[in-house]
Each structure stands twice: as structure tokens, then as C-alpha cells.
Amino acid sequence: ELIGRARRCIVYSGAGLSTSAGIQDYATQAPESLSGVGGAASSFRSPMCAQPTAAHRALVALERAGKMHRWINQNHDGLPQKAGLPQEAINEIHGAWHAPDNPVIPMSGCLRDDLFDDVLQCEKEADLAIALGTSLCGMNADRVVSGPAQRAAAGSPGAVGSVIVGLQQTVLDGDSTLRIFGRCDDVFLMLAEKMGLQVAPEWPEGTYFVPDVLVGRSQDLRDGAALVITRGMHAGAIGEVDGTDREGNVKCRFKCKPRSGKLRAFVPMVVGRWWFQAAVDGQVLGLPVVNVPPEGSEAPGANRLRELMRVYAQ
């Protein structure tokens, strides 16, 4: 009912959403945790290999039904996109493993300006926020939950409020319109059934979601092809393609500036293949990485890239 009333529904997710995919968090590792996953060994070698949970797939179905305006994800894992969420629908506010222009931010770091501007806009426009798997412990982006809740409490026209889903108590529980203590997978599968959403089945072992477009259609992504990061803290860093991972994501390595000192070493990074689908669809302003412009090229953006490369090299 709340989702049906909302015109601008924002999903705000934290680490608890991905624990059933085998990605560990802090809360579920406690001996008294009710999650059922605390201390469990991962079934894969790296969290980069994790696959979407039932909740991820149900949320993608919610977006496809036109019931989600934006997904603001505190996690870095790319599982929403692996479940089929379009890149333009998500804001990975704390950094992403599959976007070299958006590295994971330490607790003392600064949020990327354009992503934080989007958070502020979502806070202002949202009439309903659904928080799931997050402790809401005071992160700057928590405002996307507290804002709609405060407007609903004040009786603002059209304000629906907030829904909080998870096993852990939060400081915003008392302000929520609805509080559900439960596992994200269980709750969102029940929601999908109630709403009649078409939830995609889990991918068979060894197969993965692949966008319609072939990776490399608009960029040279052959091994050794020269790349440059287009924005973010490493804008202008030069690197090269270094093959693909088992899911078809593009592996690369860039010579990045260290936080201290002058020695630059190659840093491995990954570009999620969903970025290329979004670019071909014209739904994102730019790619995290592009090819280094050829010498003498006057193509649009070539001079800007050269300037980024020059500044970063200093």
C-alpha cells in the first residue's frame, strides 16, 4: 500500500542486503547475531564473484514495474547490476568495485560531488524511503531516510514516510511509518508475491547476467588497449586492459597516485559490463574509463582528457 501511494520511492541499502550472498559485514559476525550467516565461510574465492540474492532480484523487479525512482546503495559489490538493474538507476554513494572512477571511500574520505548532489536531490524529492539491511548509524546519506520520515511526521502533503527492513535496531525506527524485523530475502520475496512482480530466477551455477550489448562495441577493450579514468579522485590516470574476469567484466590496471609519497604502482580495477549497455542506451553521462585519445585527435572530449592526463601526471 505504501509503495502504491508513493510517486518517488527511494531504496537505501546497506551491508545486510548482501550477507546471504556470502559477503560478510560487521553486524552478522557477532556471536549473538540472528542473521544465521555469522562466521560462515564464503562459498567463493572472492566477494567479486558473489551473485545477487533473492532480495536483489525482487528489487530489480520493483524497478522494472516503475515503483522505484532511485536505489542508493552503500555497498560496493555491484549485485544490483548483476541482477539486471540499469546503471542509471543506482547511486553507489560509498564507492564501487566495478567503477574505476568511483573507488571505495574510507570512513575519513569525501563523497563524490555528483553522487552526493544526487543524494540531496533524492532526499528533497522522495515521498517514501525503504531502508534495508542498514544500521542507519549516522552516515551522511542516511538523510534519504530521515528526510521523508520527518515530512510524513509533520503531515506534509503527499509524504508517505519511511520503511525500515532488517534484523538490527536503528536510531530511526521510532520515526518510521513501518518497521519490519526480518531477513531482506524473506521480506522482499513476500512483497513481490503480494504485488505480483515478475522476479527473475536465480542464475544457474556458472552463468551470469549479460547485457544485450556486446562489451567492446563502442570502445577498444582488447588486451593492452590504453585507457584513462574519466572522473573521480583518479581522473586522468592512465592504464590498460588486462583481460576479463569469469563474468565478462573488464579487468584493467592503472598507475594511480598513492595517498602519500611519490611512488606510483599499477592498481588492478574492474569495469562492470553493465556500464557499456548504459552507454549504448544513452542513459549515463559517461563511462568510468575510455580509450586514451590518439595523438592529434580532435574528437569531442579529446582535449579535456589530455588535460586530465597532464594534471594527474604532475
Side-chain angles (χ1 to χ4, degrees):
E1 179 186 347
L2 297 176
I3 293 175
R5 287 165 50 194
R7 300 182 64 185
R8 290 267 178 170
C9 176
I10 304 295
V11 169
Y12 183 58
S13 56
L17 175 63
S18 297
T19 53
S20 65
I23 298 178
Q24 298 180 351
D25 67 348
Y26 294 110
T28 57
Q29 302 313 301
E32 66 275 15
S33 171
L34 300 175
S35 68
V37 300
S42 297
S43 60
F44 44 80
R45 295 179 181 177
S46 164
M48 296 286 285
C49 300
Q51 294 303 303
T53 67
H56 287 101
R57 300 195 305 274
L59 286 164
V60 169
L62 187 69
E63 190 274 337
R64 288 177 175 169
K67 299 298 184 180
M68 179 197 302
H69 173 65
R70 181 82 80 256
W71 185 337
I72 298 176
N73 194 11
Q74 299 178 78
N75 303 329
H76 322 299
D77 48 42
L79 293 184
Q81 296 97 314
K82 289 184 182 183
L85 187 78
Q87 179 61 41
E88 63 271 16
I90 195 166
N91 179 334
E92 295 169 293
I93 186 63
H94 291 160
W97 294 339
H98 296 82
D101 63 340
N102 189 22
V104 175
I105 301 170
M107 291 295 290
S108 59
C110 297
L111 302 176
R112 209 176 81 181
D113 289 346
D114 59 326
L115 298 180
F116 185 56
D117 288 344
D118 181 63
V119 167
L120 294 178
Q121 191 68 22
C122 287
E123 176 199 10
K124 178 181 177 181
E125 295 180 351
D127 48 13
L128 174 64
I130 302 175
L132 54 150
T134 173
S135 60
L136 296 169
C137 59
M139 294 294 185
N140 208 334
D142 291 355
R143 63 179 65 228
V144 298
V145 180
S146 59
Q150 291 167 3
R151 288 194 290 275
S156 299
V160 181
S162 67
V163 176
I164 301 176
V165 180
L167 296 171
Q168 183 180 3
Q169 288 184 325
T170 81
V171 296
L172 297 182
D173 285 357
D175 300 327
S176 62
T177 306
L178 176 64
R179 180 59 167 100
I180 302 174
F181 287 96
R183 295 180 177 88
C184 295
D185 289 344
D186 297 338
V187 171
F188 279 90
L189 283 179
M190 287 190 289
L191 175 67
E193 182 177 2
K194 182 71 173 178
M195 295 183 64
L197 300 176
Q198 299 298 312
V199 179
E202 186 176 5
W203 287 93
E205 182 72 24
T207 60
Y208 314 99
F209 168 76
V210 179
D212 294 334
V213 67
L214 292 176
V215 169
R217 177 174 169 181
S218 57
Q219 295 288 319
D220 181 2
L221 298 176
R222 294 171 293 183
D223 282 3
L227 301 173
V228 56
I229 297 176
T230 58
R231 58 194 170 190
M233 64 183 296
H234 294 300
I238 299 174
E240 61 184 19
V241 177
D242 189 28
T244 59
D245 66 14
R246 71 174 191 169
E247 298 178 8
N249 301 306
V250 179
K251 298 194 297 182
C252 14
R253 52 181 189 167
F254 289 90
K255 272 200 170 180
C256 296
K257 288 181 179 179
R259 287 193 172 91
S260 61
K262 296 183 179 180
L263 180 64
R264 301 189 186 199
F266 278 109
V267 177
M269 298 183 180
V270 177
V271 182
R273 59 205 183 285
W274 46 83
W275 277 102
F276 302 97
Q277 179 68 60
V280 169
D281 292 344
Q283 297 298 317
V284 290
L285 295 177
L287 290 168
V289 302
V290 296
N291 292 126
V292 171
E295 194 71 32
S297 171
E298 296 299 330
N303 289 332
R304 174 184 172 274
L305 288 173
R306 293 192 189 98
E307 179 62 14
L308 287 175
M309 293 158 58
R310 183 191 69 78
V311 172
Y312 193 80
Q314 293 177 349

